[in-house]
Amino acid sequence: MAEVRVRFAPSPTGYLHIGGVRTALFNWLFARHAKGKFILRIEDTDQDRSTEEAIQAILDGMRWVGLDWDEGPFRQTDRMDLYRQQALRLLEQQQAYWCVCTAEELETRRKDAMARGLQPGYDGRCRERGLTNQNGDAALRFKASREGQTVVEDLIKGRVVFENNIVDDLIILRSSGYPTYNFSVVVDDALMGVTHVIRGDDHLNNTPRQIPIFKALGYDVPRFGHLSMIMGADKAKLSKRHGATSILAYKDMGYLPEAMINYLVRLGWSFGDQEIFSLPELIEKFDLAHVQKSAAVFNPEKLQWMNAHYIRHGEPKRLAGLLRPFFGQVGLGEAAGKALDDWLEKLVVALQERSRTFVEMAAAAAPYLQDEIVVEAAAAEKFLTPAIASSLTALTDRLEGTAEFSKAVLEETFKKFLEEEGLKIGQLAQPVRVALTGRAASPGIFEVMDLLGRDRTLSRLRQGTALAARARP
């Protein structure tokens, strides 16, 4: 059996978005499952819109989510001679011809055809004229068959039939000498030995244009599989308002690459009811037979749930390293810069259960990094009352006398204090939590004390006691 060879071929005319990454992922998994090759090709022939910044963003985005490539990245602008050679070969075989119709003439005819209810394609008037390109201002058109059908046995959609009489003669070389998309992609796929073309179904209508070119050039036609589009919750095509920003924007928003991969693979592919997949599992289980034909719906809440799962089960040392850059986003960069790695790992352990993104985790870290905290008014009013002030004072004195300020010793000391004072844990734990963090919700209070250390714990308990003593009964 021939080696499986697939490609991801983005155009660098904007950011690498969610739909593009999913297409790349499905190709990558298909190749890895079959122990084949994954090729990265940059289709940068649109000189007016392609930018170096966009190319770099594509490469950075692919690397962030971990989609490595076996060959490339190739750039179409480095392959212009190949396209011209192949186009002129079609001319020599009388399967292409020069066309001198101007853009203005073509537009006039298009409008006239539409007004008469006809197909607005090229009418073929230069097809049999035998023109040459002496002035260098002619375009080269492929001589398409006008009879019969082009049948696509789509790996996802099934059998799709196109009538050849609705396919006009495609320009393959513009008068500028630049190839068109439908021609350059055929040449590249053929010369790179691509066996399977897995792409979005917005390219399905290009397929009956491309298959005859493969055949005319004498190359094997690859198998095609067209992925349904990703929609927003409102069933409209996914756009920026649905969250379809650059894949690197999700990195900046505090998402983990493995969460993005797991979420994107579930946008249109399933394996029973399983939701969480490791990368080795995906490589083992992925196939096109379980890719759905209907459009997938992008759900930001599901993505957050997925990311929370990976944060919750992540290795603290790795998460701590990834978390550091996010402190600057929430105004804690200077304070976090002084934090030791071991302490930051303990902070991650304390916060990872409740955090959905790194931005949330960084914001939740404020009470542990700041010297001074602001106590939430509602939390103070509910829990820091005059009735608890004396107990807070006594607890502070007891904690101050402990020889070792560790989580285990603090917990033991606290429980003994409750027994002696005849208090239930709920009566004292919440006031202590509010005094230490300024918030009514936090990790366990012994973890909080351990993170804050002796001096800050005692200082905040005293400040909390003062607040409680001054509060209205």
Side-chain angles (χ1 to χ4, degrees), residues 395 399 405-415 418 425 429 432-433 436 442-452 457:
L395 176 66
L399 294 175
F405 210 79
S406 67
K407 183 180 173 183
V409 171
L410 291 168
E411 187 169 0
E412 183 181 354
T413 303
F414 193 87
K415 287 180 178 178
L418 291 174
I425 190 168
V432 168
R433 175 174 281 110
L436 293 177
S442 78
I445 58 172
F446 309 116
E447 292 176 282
V448 171
M449 292 180 190
D450 187 39
L451 283 166
L452 291 175
T457 294

Side-chain angles (χ1 to χ4, degrees), residues 103-371:
E104 293 78 10
E105 290 170 341
L106 293 173
E107 178 62 15
T108 298
R109 286 181 226 150
R110 187 187 71 84
K111 290 180 178 178
D112 180 59
M114 291 181 68
R116 292 189 290 150
L118 302 176
Q119 189 75 17
Y122 180 63
D123 60 8
R125 67 179 57 193
C126 290
R127 185 174 176 128
E128 305 300 337
R129 293 176 65 185
L131 299 171
T132 61
N133 190 22
Q134 291 181 343
N135 299 323
D137 57 359
L140 191 63
R141 288 186 181 272
F142 177 69
K143 193 178 289 187
S145 172
R146 292 178 175 174
E147 298 177 352
Q149 299 172 326
T150 297
V151 178
V152 182
E153 299 292 350
D154 196 277
L155 294 165
I156 296 166
K157 295 186 174 298
R159 186 180 179 87
V160 185
V161 179
F162 296 90
E163 298 295 333
N164 289 339
N165 60 10
I166 66 170
V167 179
D168 60 0
D169 291 350
L170 173 75
I171 291 177
I172 57 177
L173 276 188
R174 298 183 179 91
S175 58
S176 64
Y178 266 71
T180 55
Y181 166 78
N182 276 302
F183 183 66
S184 58
V185 76
V186 168
V187 173
D188 284 337
D189 287 344
L191 297 184
M192 292 178 184
V194 171
T195 59
H196 297 76
V197 174
I198 305 166
R199 57 189 180 184
D201 66 4
D202 52 331
H203 288 288
L204 180 59
N205 287 336
N206 289 326
T207 311
R209 293 177 172 273
Q210 294 169 2
I211 288 176
I213 299 175
F214 277 104
K215 292 179 177 178
L217 288 170
Y219 295 120
D220 292 337
V221 179
R223 298 292 307 276
F224 290 92
H226 290 89
L227 307 169
S228 293
M229 305 299 286
I230 303 174
M231 301 293 188
D234 57 1
K235 303 298 189 236
K237 183 179 178 181
L238 195 65
S239 66
K240 195 169 184 178
R241 75 176 187 277
H242 298 110
T245 51
S246 160
I247 189 65
L248 292 175
Y250 287 93
K251 177 184 179 184
D252 296 339
M253 290 156 61
Y255 287 87
L256 282 162
E258 57 267 36
M260 294 301 305
I261 288 292
N262 198 153
Y263 178 72
L264 288 176
V265 80
R266 291 289 289 111
L267 279 180
W269 176 84
S270 61
F271 189 85
D273 295 328
Q274 187 172 344
E275 289 284 355
I276 304 297
F277 297 87
S278 67
L279 201 55
E281 278 184 303
L282 286 176
I283 291 171
E284 176 195 349
K285 299 178 186 303
F286 184 82
D287 62 9
L288 295 180
H290 290 90
V291 174
Q292 68 187 37
K293 297 179 182 180
S294 57
V297 177
F298 182 78
N299 184 338
E301 290 77 22
K302 182 69 174 291
L303 173 58
Q304 279 199 338
W305 173 85
M306 187 80 72
N307 201 58
H309 168 86
Y310 279 96
I311 287 179
R312 193 162 57 248
H313 294 279
E315 198 275 311
K317 184 174 184 179
R318 174 181 175 245
L319 295 181
L322 294 172
L323 176 63
R324 276 195 182 274
F326 291 91
F327 290 118
Q329 283 193 32
V330 295
L332 297 170
E334 185 176 349
K338 302 171 185 176
L340 298 176
D341 290 343
D342 289 347
W343 182 87
L344 197 56
E345 285 180 44
K346 287 202 304 186
L347 178 67
V348 166
V349 171
L351 298 178
Q352 64 186 138
E353 189 69 28
R354 294 169 173 264
S355 300
R356 296 177 298 176
T357 68
F358 283 126
V359 173
E360 284 189 0
M361 187 182 286
Y368 315 100
L369 289 166
Q370 294 171 326
D371 292 329

Side-chain angles (χ1 to χ4, degrees), residues 379 383-384 425-435 439-442 445:
F383 296 110
L384 296 181
I425 190 168
Q427 292 175 277
L428 193 56
Q430 277 299 87
V432 168
R433 175 174 281 110
V434 174
R439 303 169 180 180
S442 78
I445 58 172

Side-chain angles (χ1 to χ4, degrees), residues 3 5 37-41 69-74 192:
E3 179 185 57
R5 293 174 61 82
K37 293 292 191 294
F38 175 70
I39 303 163
L40 178 60
R41 185 172 77 224
W69 47 90
D70 302 299
E71 297 176 17
F74 299 104
M192 292 178 184

